[in-house]
């Protein structure tokens, strides 16, 4: 007995000591949450776990049960924790007033929206921003998105998406940070900081959402919502790092994914949501399901019915139910029957209430509802300037034979050809649902200052009918009636700028493609124009890597301009005419053919890597295994020379790396120096190359810079299949250079 009492007393002392160690603010916040929780009925608690879509736009399949009247009633009953797809101060205030004034406890509602790359003023799609490798600019872009969204009543964005992917067939690559976990992690941190800022109680910060947890980007065959079947070494080393960095940077929500992982749908996965996220990583925010990812566990064959969905999801750690209507309809009965413990409910509700307190919503539920601020900040001129800068930095120069670019101001007769040159809608990308269609600066509009030397011919339509967020894009696969006009114009011009690629709604959610070539009749148009004028600058406008081997071989200059957002045309014009020297680098490999996909630079060596004559090697009989343009690749209007690489082991798991970079050209330019390592022999096979550092900087003509990296345990190790991190002694190769393919090589031994 004495022992037990002693243990109890020691336990109590430890508990009191722990409580004393916590900062007062956390204690105060926790007690506010606990006090409110203690007043809540079970129904009201379950209400906080319920996220309803608004009454207008949808971003997923609308469920049968959802209807507006039902939702108003639930708002009055205090059964709505959050709503999505409602924006605009007036609309938000209207809903918030019902929740705060009519429900028993007046708990404010969260308002979530997919502010993926801007609210009204749109920055480039996230994959384009990733091509900038400029973390400050990316953070600034998210900051502007938060300022505009917050001014419009939104306090929660379902971003950043941080799904690593090597498969350009998957339409959502446009939404992420590319194929590499190191770059993807840096981008995740920058965007979380941009959205959430330093003070969530401020009126211009909003909570962010790390999504989609986890593995969604590895959907088989690049088919959206498809099965994911990856090993845990890939999970720990490729998929999870960006999420861990987001959690370490204070992200307040995580959205689970649609896919199964090891046979379990993420929404019902205790290992992911509790063991890793909430236990191992000590994540203190809340998990929200993706749109009906709960209900879809029935389709997966993991849940019998909606009641079983609610039981599995709640017990697995999914705290809030988006549009499955599982929690609102079945959780009470599950708690009453003991199938879901009240402690599960209390933990979920505490997490949700804590975020609402952090946002300051209990102090002022209408803090985001100032019509004056909405009028002043949305579409603010300063935001246009900032997204223009982001757009310029996102452009990648893929080819520039004989320095065809930049174009000469005033002297050249320039033909501009392609439907996308006159498209002010596609540059907004597919995740522009909060903004206004057709508000981008088109290429032609951006080229207006040079209108005296420019003539335009469409050549061919890209689409044959309306293209919207919810429908498949009708591509023109046959009408070439505009070719002759374009050919005539090209024949009489000095140089041709062809703007080709994908419609803005050809990438994004639900937009997987089996081909990666130029859609429709665009390739034929390009070759027809090439017949009469070889001085072609190809301006690509696309939401994913494309397979353009013919263009790469024949076309002298190629600019990758993605979907660059509101200021697209101005950014492209400034790069075309040399007012801005492009410095972007590819965040994803561009394949030679779709048959190579999935493809990435950080592949494994395999047991038969050598491409010798015999067939018994890990190669193709009809294609190289190398990409058309590699990860990290991007040219400039100047050139950079690398010299004097030095590598020194300076301590245990400490390596210092230095290289000298010199601008050898005639114009200033930005370079991204990249550092890659290879752990040659390890207890878990390691990729032939892994990005472990990068630095972006500008150099004037003739200027040199000593670029220094410090490698530490964080960069030198890897996770084994059980999630244990190792730094192992042995030989390492290192490459420092201008892309994943080109640089100076060295090695070191730990
Ligand atoms: C969508 C997407 C998710 C988005 C959510 C709400 O289906 O998968 O990324 O945030 O639903 O619109």
């Amino acid at each position: 007995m004495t022992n037990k009492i002693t243990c109890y007393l020691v336990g109590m002392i430890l508990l009191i000591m722990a409580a004393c160690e916590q900062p007062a603010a956390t204690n105060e916040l926790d007690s506010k949450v606990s006090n409110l929780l203690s007043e809540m009925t079970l129904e009201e608690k379950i209400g906080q776990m319920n996220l309803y879509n608004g009454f207008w736009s949808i971003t997923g399949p609308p469920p049968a049960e959802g209807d507006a009247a039902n939702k108003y009633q639930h708002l009055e009953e205090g059964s709505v924790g959050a709503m999505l797809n409602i924006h605009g101060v007036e609309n938000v205030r209207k809903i918030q007033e019902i929740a705060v004034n009519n429900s028993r406890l007046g708990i404010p509602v969260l308002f979530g929206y997919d502010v993926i790359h801007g609210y009204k003023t749109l920055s480039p799609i996230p994959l384009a921003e990733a091509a900038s490798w400029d973390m400050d600019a990316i953070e600034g872009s998210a900051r502007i998105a938060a300022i505009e969204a917050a001014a419009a009543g939104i306090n929660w964005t379902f971003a950043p998406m941080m799904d690593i992917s090597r498969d350009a067939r998957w339409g959502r690559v446009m939404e992420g940070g590319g194929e590499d976990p190191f770059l993807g992690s840096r981008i995740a941190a920058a965007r979380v900081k941009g959205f959430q800022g330093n003070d969530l109680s401020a009126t211009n910060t909003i909570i962010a959402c790390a999504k989609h947890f986890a593995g969604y980007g590895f959907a088989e065959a690049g088919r959206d919502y498809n099965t994911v079947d990856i090993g845990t070494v890939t999970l720990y080393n490729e998929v999870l790092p960006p999420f861990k960095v987001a959690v370490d940077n204070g992200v307040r929500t995580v959205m689970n994914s649609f896919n199964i992982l090891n046979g379990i749908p993420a929404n019902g996965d205790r290992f992911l949501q509790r063991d890793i996220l909430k236990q191992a990583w000590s994540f203190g925010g809340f998990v929200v399901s993706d749109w009906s990812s709960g209900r879809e566990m029935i389709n997966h064959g993991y849940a019998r019915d909606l009641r079983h969905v609610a039981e599995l999801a709640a017990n697995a750690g999914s705290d809030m139910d988006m549009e499955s209507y599982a929690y609102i309809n079945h959780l009470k009965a599950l708690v009453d029957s003991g199938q879901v413990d009240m402690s599960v409910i209390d933990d979920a509700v505490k997490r949700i209430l804590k975020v609402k307190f952090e946002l300051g919503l209990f102090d002022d539920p209408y803090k985001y509802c100032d019509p004056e601020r909405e009028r002043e900040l949305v579409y603010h001129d300063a935001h246009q300037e900032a997204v223009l800068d982001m757009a310029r930095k996102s452009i990648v120069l893929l080819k520039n034979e004989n320095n065809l670019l930049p174009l000469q101001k005033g002297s050249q007769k320039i033909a501009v050809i392609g439907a996308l040159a006159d498209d002010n809608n596609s540059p907004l990308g597919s995740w522009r649902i909060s903004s206004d269609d057709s508000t981008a600066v088109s290429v032609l509009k951006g080229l207006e200052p040079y209108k005296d030397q420019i003539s335009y011919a469409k050549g061919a339509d890209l689409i044959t009918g309306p293209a919207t967020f919810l429908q498949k894009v009708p591509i023109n696969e046959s009408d070439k009636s505009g070719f002759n006009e374009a050919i005539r114009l090209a024949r009489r011009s000095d140089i041709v700028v062809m703007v080709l690629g994908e419609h803005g709604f050809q990438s994004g959610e639900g937009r997987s493609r089996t081909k990666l070539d130029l859609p429709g009749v665009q390739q034929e148009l390009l070759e027809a124009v090439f017949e009469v004028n070889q001085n072609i600058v190809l301006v690509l406008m696309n939401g994913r890597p494309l397979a353009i081997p013919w263009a790469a071989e024949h076309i002298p200059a190629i600019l990758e301009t993605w979907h660059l957002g509101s200021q697209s045309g101005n950014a492209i014009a400034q790069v075309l005419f040399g007012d801005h020297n492009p410095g972007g680098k590819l965040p994803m490999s561009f394949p030679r053919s779709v048959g190579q996909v999935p493809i990435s630079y950080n592949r494994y060596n395999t047991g038969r890597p050598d491409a010798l004559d015999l067939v018994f090697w890990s190669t193709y009989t009809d294609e190289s295994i190398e990409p058309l343009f590699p990860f990290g690749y991007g040219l400039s209007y100047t050139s950079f020379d690398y010299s004097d690489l030095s590598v020194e082991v300076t301590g245990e798991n400490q390596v210092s790396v230095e290289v000298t970079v010199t601008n050898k050209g005639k114009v200033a330019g930005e370079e991204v120096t990249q550092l890659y390592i290879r752990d040659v022999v390890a207890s878990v096979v390691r990729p032939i190359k892994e990005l472990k550092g990068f630095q972006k900087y500008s150099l004037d003509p003739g200027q040199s810079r000593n670029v220094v990296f410090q490698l530490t345990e964080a960069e030198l190790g890897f996770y084994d299949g059980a999630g244990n991190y190792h730094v192992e002694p042995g030989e390492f190769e290192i490459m420092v250079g201008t892309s994943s393919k080109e640089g100076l090589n060295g090695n070191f031994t730990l």
Side-chain angles (χ1 to χ4, degrees):
M1 181 58 81
T2 313
N3 276 347
K4 273 193 177 174
I5 293 172
T6 309
C7 290
Y8 176 74
L9 287 173
V10 167
M12 287 309 293
I13 291 164
L14 289 174
L15 264 179
I16 291 163
M17 284 168 65
C20 295
E21 279 163 18
Q22 281 192 332
T26 312
N27 268 336
E28 185 191 342
L29 179 58
D30 289 347
S31 55
K32 282 180 182 175
V33 169
S34 300
N35 292 341
L36 177 53
L37 190 77
S38 64
E39 295 174 44
M40 296 170 76
T41 64
L42 174 57
E43 288 82 350
E44 288 165 336
K45 290 177 182 178
I46 292 168
Q48 289 303 302
M49 299 167 71
N50 182 35
L51 165 58
Y52 272 146
N53 187 41
F55 311 109
W56 307 287
S57 52
I58 58 173
T59 49
E65 295 87 340
D67 62 77
N70 194 0
K71 294 172 186 175
Y72 279 121
Q73 179 195 334
H74 282 156
L75 279 162
E76 289 169 348
E77 291 164 355
S79 296
V80 181
M83 293 194 80
L84 74 147
N85 292 333
I86 290 177
H87 59 113
V89 161
E90 190 182 339
N91 296 323
V92 168
R93 176 178 286 275
K94 179 179 165 189
I95 301 295
Q96 195 69 294
E97 282 175 344
I98 297 172
V100 171
N101 299 334
N102 299 6
S103 70
R104 187 176 75 89
L105 292 172
I107 298 174
V109 168
L110 288 173
F111 290 89
Y113 214 98
D114 292 287
V115 183
I116 307 298
H117 55 104
Y119 171 67
K120 291 287 186 185
T121 306
L122 295 183
S123 60
I125 58 173
L127 188 64
E129 289 196 352
S132 73
W133 293 58
D134 186 328
M135 299 307 120
D136 291 342
I138 290 172
E139 181 176 342
S141 166
R143 185 91 292 280
I144 283 164
I147 289 168
E148 290 202 1
I154 293 164
N155 44 46
W156 181 19
T157 178
F158 302 127
M161 181 272 221
M162 49 191 76
D163 303 317
I164 297 299
S165 181
R166 306 153 174 175
D167 195 329
R169 293 171 295 182
W170 189 49
R172 299 196 77 163
V173 294
M174 57 73 67
E175 196 178 342
E179 70 188 43
D180 177 74
F182 185 90
L183 177 61
S185 297
R186 293 297 180 283
I187 291 169
R191 305 198 79 216
V192 166
K193 285 186 279 191
F195 287 128
Q196 298 191 161
N198 299 317
D199 175 10
L200 281 177
S201 68
T203 54
N204 64 359
T205 55
I206 59 179
I207 53 176
C209 183
K211 73 182 187 182
H212 304 81
F213 196 61
Y216 188 13
F218 284 74
E220 287 182 351
R223 177 156 55 90
D224 211 344
Y225 316 117
N226 198 11
T227 300
V228 171
D229 197 356
I230 55 176
T232 50
V233 168
T234 299
L235 177 69
Y236 280 111
N237 290 292
E238 308 284 330
V239 172
L240 294 181
F243 290 94
K244 176 65 168 57
V245 166
V247 169
D248 291 346
N249 279 275
V251 73
R252 303 310 295 138
T253 66
V254 170
M255 182 184 290
N256 61 40
S257 54
F258 295 114
N259 57 282
I260 62 173
L261 199 56
N262 301 317
I264 298 177
N267 193 50
D269 192 332
R270 176 187 294 269
F271 169 67
L272 275 181
Q273 297 174 119
R274 290 199 185 282
D275 299 351
I276 293 183
L277 185 63
K278 294 178 177 178
Q279 256 93 57
W281 295 356
S282 305
F283 171 61
F286 68 86
V287 175
V288 62
S289 81
D290 199 341
W291 184 292
S292 74
S293 68
R295 162 198 312 275
E296 290 169 16
M297 293 202 285
I298 300 168
N299 299 339
H300 279 296
Y302 190 67
R304 291 183 301 276
D305 51 31
L306 217 47
R307 176 184 166 110
H308 195 201
V309 164
E311 178 189 358
L312 292 168
N315 285 329
S318 183
D319 301 310
M320 188 182 274
D321 170 12
M322 181 195 293
E323 280 295 312
S324 288
Y325 298 81
Y327 287 2
I328 193 76
N329 288 318
H330 298 286
L331 259 187
K332 183 178 184 316
L334 287 162
V335 173
D336 293 345
S337 67
Q339 288 167 284
V340 173
D341 194 90
M342 181 62 90
S343 62
V344 167
I345 304 295
D346 286 348
D347 177 63
V349 176
K350 276 183 179 177
R351 290 170 179 271
I352 294 163
L353 294 178
K354 184 174 178 183
V355 170
K356 293 186 176 183
F357 274 110
E358 288 169 337
L359 276 171
L361 286 176
F362 287 96
D363 299 330
D364 176 6
Y366 308 105
K367 60 177 279 207
Y368 291 96
C369 299
D370 176 346
E372 189 45 45
R373 197 165 57 224
E374 184 177 35
R375 274 189 294 276
E376 180 208 343
L377 293 177
V378 172
Y379 278 135
H380 194 285
D381 287 349
H383 301 166
Q384 296 291 351
E385 197 43 50
V387 298
L388 169 57
D389 184 51
M390 186 77 248
R392 282 192 292 257
K393 289 175 173 171
S394 303
I395 292 174
V396 183
L397 178 61
L398 296 177
K399 191 176 174 187
N400 191 23
E401 239 163 35
N402 312 318
N403 294 319
L404 192 62
L405 283 173
L407 302 176
Q408 293 151 34
K409 296 179 180 178
S411 56
Q412 286 174 319
K413 280 197 299 181
I414 301 170
V416 176
I417 295 172
L420 283 168
D422 193 21
D423 185 338
N424 62 2
N425 198 23
S426 287
L428 301 176
S430 64
W431 269 122
R432 90 291 278 273
I433 52 175
S434 54
S435 189
D436 303 296
D437 286 346
S438 307
T439 53
V441 175
S442 69
V443 172
L444 278 185
K445 182 78 178 158
L447 290 171
E448 258 180 14
Y450 309 98
K451 60 182 180 299
D452 297 341
Q453 59 184 111
I454 281 175
S455 304
Y456 173 63
K458 182 164 57 175
D461 286 318
L462 174 58
I463 58 178
T464 56
T468 70
F469 178 70
L470 296 174
Q471 292 161 305
K472 291 184 194 293
V473 179
I475 294 294
N476 165 27
E477 301 286 359
S478 58
D479 178 2
K480 303 174 199 173
S481 55
F483 275 34
N484 288 338
E485 180 201 6
I487 291 164
R488 282 195 299 275
L489 174 61
R491 189 176 278 123
R492 63 173 189 269
S493 301
D494 298 323
I495 193 165
V496 183
V497 173
M498 293 198 74
V499 185
L500 307 173
E502 293 182 313
H503 187 276
F505 284 124
Q506 277 193 274
S507 59
E509 184 176 355
R511 309 290 178 163
S512 295
R513 290 180 63 196
T514 59
K515 302 180 187 70
L516 295 175
D517 51 11
L518 290 169
V521 298
Q522 297 181 98
Q523 179 65 35
E524 291 170 81
L525 175 63
L526 178 62
E527 293 183 28
V529 168
F530 183 77
E531 283 296 312
V532 299
N533 190 331
Q534 287 75 49
N535 282 334
I536 295 178
V537 176
L538 173 58
V539 174
L540 288 171
M541 198 178 278
N542 46 299
R544 57 164 44 91
L546 296 178
I548 50 164
W550 185 92
E553 183 183 345
H554 294 87
I555 303 301
I558 303 175
L559 270 183
E560 173 52 67
T561 72
W562 315 104
H563 291 130
L564 288 174
S566 301
Q567 288 291 324
S568 172
N570 286 333
I572 292 169
Q574 290 175 12
V575 168
L576 282 173
F577 279 95
D579 295 328
H580 177 80
N581 181 359
K585 301 279 185 180
L586 293 179
M588 271 189 91
S589 308
F590 274 47
R592 295 173 185 278
S593 84
V594 70
Q596 292 181 303
V597 169
I599 184 172
S600 66
Y601 84 94
N602 55 350
R603 61 180 171 81
Y604 293 110
N605 203 32
T606 77
R608 298 198 174 186
D610 310 302
L612 306 181
D613 295 344
L614 295 178
V615 295
F616 306 122
W617 307 106
S618 181
T619 59
Y620 300 105
T621 54
D622 59 355
E623 184 59 275
S624 155
I625 68 168
E626 293 304 324
L628 186 64
F629 297 108
F631 174 82
Y633 172 84
L635 302 176
S636 169
Y637 291 154
T638 186
S639 62
F640 297 99
D641 177 66
Y642 281 71
S643 62
D644 306 321
L645 172 65
S646 78
V647 182
E648 185 188 350
V649 179
T650 53
E652 188 182 358
N653 300 335
Q654 302 287 329
V655 183
S656 175
V657 181
E658 292 191 31
V659 72
T660 301
V661 183
T662 303
N663 178 343
K664 304 293 279 183
K666 298 185 177 59
V667 294
E670 289 183 310
E671 171 63 332
V672 180
T673 294
Q674 303 152 48
L675 182 152
Y676 298 87
I677 67 169
R678 180 186 183 184
D679 188 344
V680 180
V681 177
S683 57
V684 169
V685 170
R686 303 309 304 136
I688 59 170
K689 214 166 269 180
E690 291 181 89
L691 179 70
K692 293 296 181 183
F694 62 86
Q695 293 182 31
K696 179 166 186 163
Y697 51 86
S698 181
L699 288 178
D700 290 332
Q703 187 184 4
S704 291
R705 180 189 181 99
N706 199 26
V707 184
V708 182
F709 295 96
Q710 299 299 338
L711 293 176
T712 68
E713 184 171 308
E715 291 80 31
L716 295 168
F718 59 88
Y719 289 95
D720 65 19
N724 304 309
Y725 189 75
H726 304 269
V727 178
E728 295 180 345
E731 190 195 339
F732 285 74
E733 294 168 353
I734 192 164
M735 188 197 82
V736 183
T738 189
S739 82
S740 61
K741 272 275 176 279
E742 191 186 339
L744 299 181
N745 295 301
N747 52 51
F748 60 89
T749 304
L750 287 185

